[in-house]
Amino acid sequence: MATVEEPVVLELDDIQNGAIHPRPSPYVGAYIVLRIDDRRAGRELLRRLIPAIADATSPMDPSRQAWVSAGLSFRGLEALGVPQDSLDSFPLAFQQGMAARAAELGDVGDSAPENWEKPFGTPDVHVGLSALSPDAARLEPVLARARTAFEELSGVTALWSLDCHVLPTEKEAFGFRDGISHPAIEGSGIPGSNPQEKPLKAGEFLLGYENERHELSPMPRPEVLGKNGTYVAFRKLHQRVAAFRQYLKANSSTPEEEDFLAAKMMGRWQSGAPLALCPMRDDPELGADPKLNNDFLYKDDDPQGLKTPAGSHIRRLNPRDSDISGFARFHRMIRRGTSYGPMLPPGVIDDDGAERGLAFVFVGANLERQFEFVQSEWVNKGQFFHGPVGDKDPIAGANSGSDHFTIPQQPIRRRLQGLPAFVVTRGGEYFFVPGLRALHWLADLET
């Protein structure tokens, strides 16, 4: 007799709203990095921040589309005076920080930590704040609450900030509609964007709940600190848009072929329409339809990648039911990209020197099994996809100018040569995003 699983009940009143809340569209926002110079001031900072941080009790409520989120790096937890036995209970990747994991993540060359914007790559990144809202008018009061928490507070220093946005077109700097694919989280009440993907276990994204392996992910001690928390990998990614356009032009004979080649590299047309559903020509109406533009799988309809190449960007980041070595659901993440900087005007192929790109956030309960695995194995390798050995992600991979990308086609496949790096890491860090009770616990420390 089959057993019936009990429905998962999430403690939504203890989860930071920003950890699981879908982003509004369009939206504006800001990221801020702080350093704690005095632990008493750091605890006061948290006490001031807590009233500004909404819980996740109504994650789909339109009135709650403006919010503040807060996370702490391992160095930040140290600076707060968290007891050593609690610090030792955090996973190694988080303890070491993103810069120390650069080689595994493909952050080499121009993307190496020595080239990052300061304070990233230094021990000074302690607190990460984000404020998001559908528009500037609603952002300002939210941002003001966050600023009030640290301004004029001796012992806490603001080191870095970044204004960001998502345009009404939802397109990022390369010109593609972004933010299309996101998973459903069991018990959250938030639907996923692919009706063919069943909800993922809450423990893939939140600590203290069963994950896809029917176990609990390792959780920091004590329980009040770890329960309902999650991890965030934050990365500022500069996009070399002019170089991308130049490469397309050099490997195409017509503008239409440029668009087709770009779609093969991304796995979608710029409108957001997936190659899986319209492999030969763009369909902007489909691309703009959130009920249809992510409603597809790969295994039965496109096992050889003749529509969506196995090595394309979206198939690497989310293989769905593709025939790969391993189980894709073990590595699923929440991925959120927010643009910064001005768009390069259409048709311009010369670099104007402007900084533009994505502030990228990856949310998950296991940094190594989710973010680091995908970044090292799926983005920068490729053997997992039973495809040509040596190919990297053509859009986001750590390509060096001598790399290649394979496009399956009949009778003879096409292989693009000389891929440069189109995305450069400007900085990043791992943050622990505590539950609200954990924030109170941290604020009340007496060590």
Side-chain angles (χ1 to χ4, degrees):
M1 183 175 179
T3 59
V4 178
E5 291 188 11
E6 290 292 324
V8 175
V9 178
L10 302 184
E11 297 176 343
L12 295 173
D13 61 340
D14 189 39
I15 298 167
Q16 288 197 43
N17 191 43
I20 61 173
H21 196 300
R23 301 282 178 91
S25 181
Y27 70 86
V28 295
Y31 291 95
I32 302 170
V33 168
L34 309 173
R35 183 184 66 220
I36 298 171
D37 300 310
D38 177 84
R39 64 180 57 178
R40 290 181 297 274
R43 296 166 187 173
E44 177 61 24
L45 168 71
L46 296 185
R47 281 190 284 271
R48 294 184 183 186
L49 279 173
I50 288 169
I53 298 174
D55 63 44
T57 49
S58 301
M60 300 305 291
D61 184 348
S63 68
R64 296 166 66 92
Q65 289 191 340
W67 67 81
V68 174
S69 300
L72 295 121
S73 71
F74 183 74
R75 297 297 184 188
L77 293 170
E78 284 185 323
L80 277 177
V82 171
Q84 191 62 48
D85 62 334
S86 291
L87 293 173
D88 291 343
S89 66
F90 280 90
L92 179 61
F94 177 69
Q95 292 187 39
Q96 291 182 333
M98 188 177 289
R101 318 281 286 186
E104 293 92 333
L105 299 177
D107 288 332
V108 297
D110 291 344
S111 292
E114 56 264 29
N115 298 320
W116 288 1
E117 293 178 8
K118 298 298 181 274
F120 295 111
T122 78
D124 291 340
V125 177
H126 292 169
V127 181
L129 301 179
S130 65
L132 299 172
S133 171
D135 51 57
R138 280 177 281 184
L139 176 67
E140 189 48 42
V142 170
L143 197 53
R145 289 199 294 272
R147 289 197 186 105
T148 300
F150 64 83
E151 287 180 344
E152 300 181 6
L153 180 60
S154 177
V156 174
T157 305
L159 300 179
W160 180 90
S161 65
L162 180 69
D163 293 328
C164 52
H165 59 270
V166 166
L167 298 171
T169 61
E170 298 184 327
K171 290 191 175 183
E172 45 73 60
F174 288 138
F176 292 90
R177 182 182 290 272
D178 196 24
I180 292 174
S181 179
H182 56 87
I185 305 171
E186 193 175 55
S188 71
I190 302 172
S193 59
N194 185 353
Q196 300 189 57
E197 179 184 54
K198 68 178 183 178
L200 280 95
K201 296 290 187 182
E204 290 298 313
F205 310 102
L206 297 164
L207 297 173
Y209 302 93
E210 187 177 278
N211 60 28
E212 288 290 317
R213 294 181 172 183
H214 302 287
E215 61 189 21
L216 299 180
S217 294
M219 193 167 71
R221 298 186 300 268
E223 182 176 335
V224 67
L225 174 60
K227 184 71 181 290
N228 294 313
T230 189
Y231 294 99
V232 159
F234 173 83
R235 289 165 76 76
K236 183 183 180 185
L237 303 175
H238 170 63
Q239 293 175 264
R240 291 174 164 168
V241 179
F244 182 63
R245 293 178 182 177
Q246 290 167 13
Y247 187 84
L248 295 175
K249 192 174 186 65
N251 287 275
S252 306
S253 56
T254 65
E256 292 74 21
E257 189 179 352
E258 291 178 40
D259 291 342
F260 185 70
L261 180 56
K264 284 293 187 180
M265 294 168 73
M266 179 62 74
R268 291 185 183 273
W269 299 92
Q270 290 197 342
S271 72
L275 290 175
L277 299 180
C278 44
M280 298 309 298
R281 62 186 59 84
D282 197 0
D283 185 344
E285 185 175 343
L286 171 63
D289 189 338
K291 294 182 179 179
L292 297 177
N293 62 16
N294 202 43
D295 185 4
F296 61 91
L297 298 173
Y298 296 120
K299 187 173 183 179
D300 294 333
D301 187 55
D302 189 25
Q304 296 179 297
L306 294 174
K307 295 180 180 179
T308 311
S312 64
H313 178 69
I314 72 162
R315 194 158 176 171
R316 284 174 176 270
L317 270 292
N318 182 13
R320 303 176 191 239
D321 64 337
S322 293
D323 184 16
I324 63 171
S325 300
F327 189 39
R329 288 173 67 86
F330 287 167
H331 311 289
R332 198 77 162 92
M333 299 174 289
I334 296 173
R335 295 177 287 121
R336 296 169 176 158
T338 313
S339 295
Y340 69 86
M343 296 283 279
L344 188 66
V348 174
I349 63 171
D350 295 321
D351 187 11
D352 61 359
E355 271 291 319
R356 57 176 58 89
L358 290 174
F360 227 110
V361 171
F362 302 82
V363 182
N366 191 309
L367 285 170
E368 293 183 62
R369 178 165 59 82
Q370 293 169 300
F371 170 69
E372 292 196 340
F373 178 90
V374 170
Q375 188 68 21
S376 63
E377 299 298 323
W378 289 357
V379 171
N380 285 317
K381 291 184 183 176
Q383 293 90 331
F384 245 71
F385 296 90
H386 306 306
V389 175
D391 280 16
K392 300 173 185 175
D393 186 319
I395 301 291
N399 295 299
S400 63
S402 59
D403 293 283
H404 33 75
F405 171 60
T406 304
I407 301 175
Q409 57 186 25
Q410 295 176 335
I412 302 173
R413 70 184 185 184
R414 181 181 182 186
R415 200 168 208 198
L416 298 174
Q417 304 288 347
L419 274 171
F422 298 123
V423 174
V424 178
T425 306
R426 293 291 199 226
E429 188 52 278
Y430 293 147
F431 293 96
F432 175 60
V433 179
L436 294 173
R437 286 194 290 271
L439 285 173
H440 282 285
W441 183 85
L442 290 165
D444 293 338
L445 285 171
E446 296 181 355
T447 54

